[in-house]
Structure formats: structure tokens, C-alpha cells
Amino acid sequence: MKTKIFSVLLVTSLLSFAQSPQGYWDNQRATTKEIKLSAGDKVIIKSEEFPVGTTEFAYRITLLDENQKMVNDLASVLKAIPDPYFIGKGTGGAISLLSNISGSDKCTYALFVNEAIASDFIGSENTNKACLFQKNPVSKDAKVVSMKSTCLNEDTKYLWFAFKNQNWMMGEKIVLEIVPWVDNLASRGWTKKNKEILLPQILKTEVSKSLVDTQKQKYAYKLIESISKEYRFQDFTSLNATEQKSVIEKFEEPSLQAIGLPTKYNDYLCLKAKEIAGKGNYEEAISLLNDKVIGKPNAKALHLNTLAELYIESNQFGKALQTLQTAEKLDASELKVKLNLAHTYMFMNEISKAREIHKKYMNQNISAKQTWKNKAINDLDRLKKSNLPQDNIQKIWRLYN
């Protein structure tokens, strides 16, 4: 028995297809192949490459007698159909796509997702691994195949059609047409596999590391979702490392807000500012907080308290006082603000105000796990070892010793 493998002939339809908000039939990448097959022969036909975002495809198989021509190609049938869901499923939908002519010749066919398996069909006629098999000889057939089928997934690039001429005496002519449906959202290229490629990069960022494990994945996928709305996957991956980092940083805060962590980005920036200040770069740390945290609607008293601490540590007591007074207006009950206010008065030689604050709160807790007294002693001990003015520290120290 002879075997033939025909090269692909692509015929591009110039028809303009009806579109819907969900997607469109891609006539520019539709495939039409005409195959002449001798009696009893078999052939494998490779489809053209499916475009990114193909979520369904329609195909039609028509067998023609000698000198017959197609009246309407599949493209012209589909051009008036907004999307695959209007075609319907099963036999009823397939009939609506059939040619209005066909010959008396018949064939069987199968679809494969792998070329090697399709090639095996030529020798063995084994269809066990076919994703679709038409075992009854037909003179015409048509179907719409979606991602519910094993023939198609988000990474599918090609399919292989295997045909067998069921005529024992005569050759036949087969016309195969394939038209992909491109989903607008899927066409952006953010498949599950591609999202997994970007995921480790996001999880390595400092913002992600500042989150607890239960928040990291949720945050990462929300950030990927935000990026995918502005960039196609191919466009994003074509950016260099610095550009990609800039894009990720752009969506960090909105992504945290979207998952219910509206102040988490400010918390992260405060930690980052402390790290910068720890290296002696107080001006940079203070600028970071002033530029990106202070003044935002979601800035909290503790965020201003962090800025005030940097002012205190850099001997800018007037700015520290002003910042702490603003923090008090946001949350008058925050004792960490009160303690730094006492430290600021101490350095500004207003000892009576500093003592008054200490005496008022010294028997309370700053947090569930820390007393005011413990925090005050630790702070004073640290300040005694700093380069800040030392004249008044001992006067406050006596309150606790």
C-alpha cells in the first residue's frame, strides 16, 4: 500500500470576519489544503500553526468528485458567526458547517496532537492515541473543537490529520479546512505555563519576602494579572531585566491593595528605609518615606513614627516633633508615637514634657508583648550609645532606675 505525506499549502482568505468582544475567527491564519489520494492510500496532513490564544477551532472535510469545486469555503460560512458558542455543539452544529456539495467518495480520518503518533497510524492504523477518530467512512464532515477536547490546550501549536481513502478502486480529492478561534484575553499569551515562568521572579522580590506564606501566592498572581492587562507575555519577556523590574515595582502597591493589604506596601517601605538608614544613608531613607509613603491616604501613624525615628537619629528634632504631632492626629492612642515624642522633647531640652509623658504611660503596655517600661529602657540604653546629645538622657533614665 502506498504512503504519501503532502506538503502544506496555505490559502489565506481575504474575507473580513465578524468579531465579538470575546474574540474572532482568524481568517488570516486559516488553513485550506487540497489532497489527492489514490485508492486505499493513507496520508498525514499537518495543520498550519495555531495563533496564540486559540481556544477553539472549526474544521471541515469535504470529498469531491472529479472537476467538482467548493461553492463556499469554510471562511465564508464562519464570517457571519460572532463566536463558537453560536454554532452549537455536536451533530447539529457540525451539519451547519458542512459543504452543500460533496462527492460519492468516502474516507475515514483521525486527529493527533503528536507527529510521531500520527506517523505510526500510516503503518499500523492504530488510533488508540488519536484525540478524535471518525471510524465510519464519510463523504463530508465538520466539527468545532474546544479546549474541553484532548485535541486542544493553551499550548497547542499544530495538529496532524490522518486520512485513509476508503475507495478500493478510485482515487479521491479531499479538501481540509481549519479556522482557529482566537480568544482576545488568551491571545495575550499569559497561559498557565507562562505565568509559572514569571512566578519565581516575583516571589524573590523584597515585597514578596515581607509577606507571610499564605499571602505570597495570592499577591504574586494578582501582580501577574495586573501586568498581563498592560503587556502581552511576549512583550514583557522582551524587556531587559531592569525594565522588567520597573514594571513589577509599578504594580506592587496596587496588587497589595487588591488582595486586602492596603498598608502593606508602606510597611515594606518603612522596613526598607530602616535598612538604608542602618547603613548611614539617612537622607536617602528619609526621602524614600517622604516621597512614597507620607501624604498618602493610607499612611498610618506608625508610618509617620518610622519617619520621626529617622529624624531623631539624624539629629533633626524639629522635624521629628512636627511629624509625631501629625501622627498623633491620625492615632492618639498609639504609644510608640508617644514614646518617640518623649524622646524628642528630651533632646529639645523640654524635660518636663518628656517626664510627663513617661510618667503617664510607664505602667502601660506598648503592645501585647511589650511594656512601655521595657521599651523605654531599651531605647534609652541605645540612645546613650549613639552620637546624639547626651545631656538629658540620664535625667529620664532615673525614672526607671
Side-chain angles (χ1 to χ4, degrees):
M1 183 177 293
K2 297 181 180 179
T3 299
K4 299 180 181 178
I5 300 180
F6 288 81
S7 59
V8 172
L9 172 63
L10 173 63
V11 179
T12 304
S13 170
L14 298 178
L15 294 169
S16 60
F17 279 28
Q19 296 192 21
S20 79
Q22 289 74 38
Y24 59 96
W25 291 106
D26 193 342
N27 62 320
Q28 297 301 314
R29 285 172 283 192
T31 300
T32 300
K33 303 169 191 179
E34 187 175 300
I35 311 121
K36 291 183 178 181
L37 199 57
S38 300
D41 276 359
K42 290 173 286 187
V43 65
I44 300 170
I45 301 296
K46 181 181 180 181
S47 72
E48 295 296 336
E49 183 175 2
F50 286 121
V52 174
T54 298
T55 57
E56 308 199 40
F57 66 91
Y59 74 87
R60 184 171 66 178
I61 297 165
T62 310
L63 278 73
L64 301 176
D65 289 340
E66 198 66 31
N67 298 323
Q68 275 188 303
K69 294 183 178 180
M70 301 288 292
V71 176
N72 290 312
D73 60 25
L74 182 59
S76 65
V77 175
L78 291 172
K79 71 174 183 177
I81 302 174
D83 64 58
Y85 303 103
F86 285 90
I87 296 176
K89 305 299 181 183
T91 305
I95 289 175
S96 69
L97 299 176
L98 288 175
S99 306
N100 57 2
I101 64 166
S102 66
S104 58
D105 298 328
K106 293 187 177 183
C107 74
T108 54
Y109 68 90
L111 272 68
F112 298 89
V113 296
N114 180 281
E115 184 174 13
I117 298 173
S119 297
D120 182 61
F121 169 83
I122 295 297
S124 67
E125 297 190 23
N126 184 353
T127 59
N128 291 338
K129 295 183 180 180
C131 62
L132 189 152
F133 176 45
Q134 177 58 51
K135 64 179 180 179
N136 297 318
V138 293
S139 61
K140 57 185 178 181
D141 202 4
K143 286 183 174 65
V144 177
V145 178
S146 71
M147 294 181 71
K148 295 178 181 178
S149 165
T150 56
C151 289
L152 185 67
N153 61 53
E154 60 185 9
D155 297 316
T156 299
K157 294 295 183 184
Y158 301 95
L159 285 173
W160 286 261
F161 281 73
F163 294 95
K164 181 180 180 181
N165 183 350
Q166 292 294 341
N167 300 322
W168 293 106
M169 299 294 293
M170 303 295 291
E172 62 188 11
K173 182 165 63 174
I174 302 172
V175 177
L176 170 64
E177 301 166 277
I178 309 169
V179 182
W181 168 265
V182 179
D183 180 270
N184 286 331
L185 181 60
S187 69
R188 301 186 68 79
W190 290 95
T191 63
K192 181 179 179 181
K193 179 180 178 181
N194 287 341
K195 289 178 181 178
E196 294 294 333
I197 292 174
L198 182 58
L199 187 61
Q201 183 177 341
I202 294 176
L203 292 177
K204 289 179 182 178
T205 61
E206 293 181 38
V207 173
S208 182
K209 290 178 180 178
S210 71
L211 302 175
V212 298
D213 289 342
T214 55
Q215 298 169 338
K216 288 182 180 179
Q217 291 278 338
K218 188 176 181 181
Y219 159 73
Y221 279 111
K222 176 56 67 174
L223 199 152
I224 291 173
E225 179 184 318
S226 299
I227 294 174
S228 69
K229 291 179 180 178
E230 188 162 322
Y231 293 86
R232 293 180 179 273
F233 178 74
Q234 185 176 359
D235 296 336
F236 178 79
T237 53
S238 67
L239 301 176
N240 61 41
T242 301
E243 291 170 330
Q244 288 187 17
K245 182 181 178 183
S246 178
V247 172
I248 290 173
E249 290 176 347
K250 173 183 176 181
F251 292 108
E252 285 177 333
E253 184 173 11
S255 297
L256 287 168
Q257 292 177 349
I259 65 170
L261 300 172
T263 66
K264 195 65 181 181
Y265 191 67
N266 291 344
D267 297 343
Y268 156 72
L269 290 176
C270 286
L271 289 174
K272 188 174 180 65
K274 288 180 179 180
E275 291 177 5
I276 295 171
K279 299 176 182 178
N281 301 320
Y282 282 96
E283 185 174 350
E284 180 184 346
I286 290 170
S287 294
L288 174 65
L289 294 184
N290 276 321
D291 294 343
K292 295 190 175 183
V293 178
I294 309 306
K296 284 186 179 180
N298 59 358
K300 301 299 181 183
L302 285 177
H303 301 139
L304 275 77
N305 186 63
T306 298
L307 176 61
E309 287 179 346
L310 298 182
Y311 280 134
I312 292 171
E313 292 170 10
S314 58
N315 216 343
Q316 300 181 72
F317 306 123
K319 291 182 179 180
L321 178 60
Q322 184 180 15
T323 302
L324 290 167
Q325 288 172 337
T326 302
E328 275 191 308
K329 293 177 182 178
L330 292 176
D331 187 352
S333 65
E334 181 51 66
L335 295 191
K336 290 182 180 178
V337 172
K338 301 290 188 186
L339 183 54
N340 276 325
L341 191 59
H343 296 333
T344 302
Y345 283 134
M346 176 183 69
F347 286 121
M348 296 180 75
N349 294 318
E350 296 190 49
I351 299 298
S352 59
K353 289 184 178 181
R355 283 193 181 122
E356 182 181 349
I357 295 172
H358 279 284
K359 289 179 179 179
K360 184 176 181 179
Y361 299 108
M362 65 190 315
N363 294 319
Q364 295 190 33
N365 274 21
I366 280 213
S367 68
K369 296 182 179 180
Q370 189 175 36
T371 64
W372 171 287
K373 183 176 181 180
N374 177 259
K375 172 68 173 166
I377 290 174
N378 288 340
D379 281 5
L380 292 169
D381 186 55
R382 174 175 52 82
L383 294 172
K384 285 168 66 176
K385 299 173 183 176
S386 70
N387 294 321
L388 295 172
Q390 300 292 306
D391 297 345
N392 295 325
I393 295 178
Q394 192 63 32
K395 296 176 183 178
I396 300 300
W397 182 265
R398 293 193 189 102
L399 293 174
Y400 298 97
N401 295 273

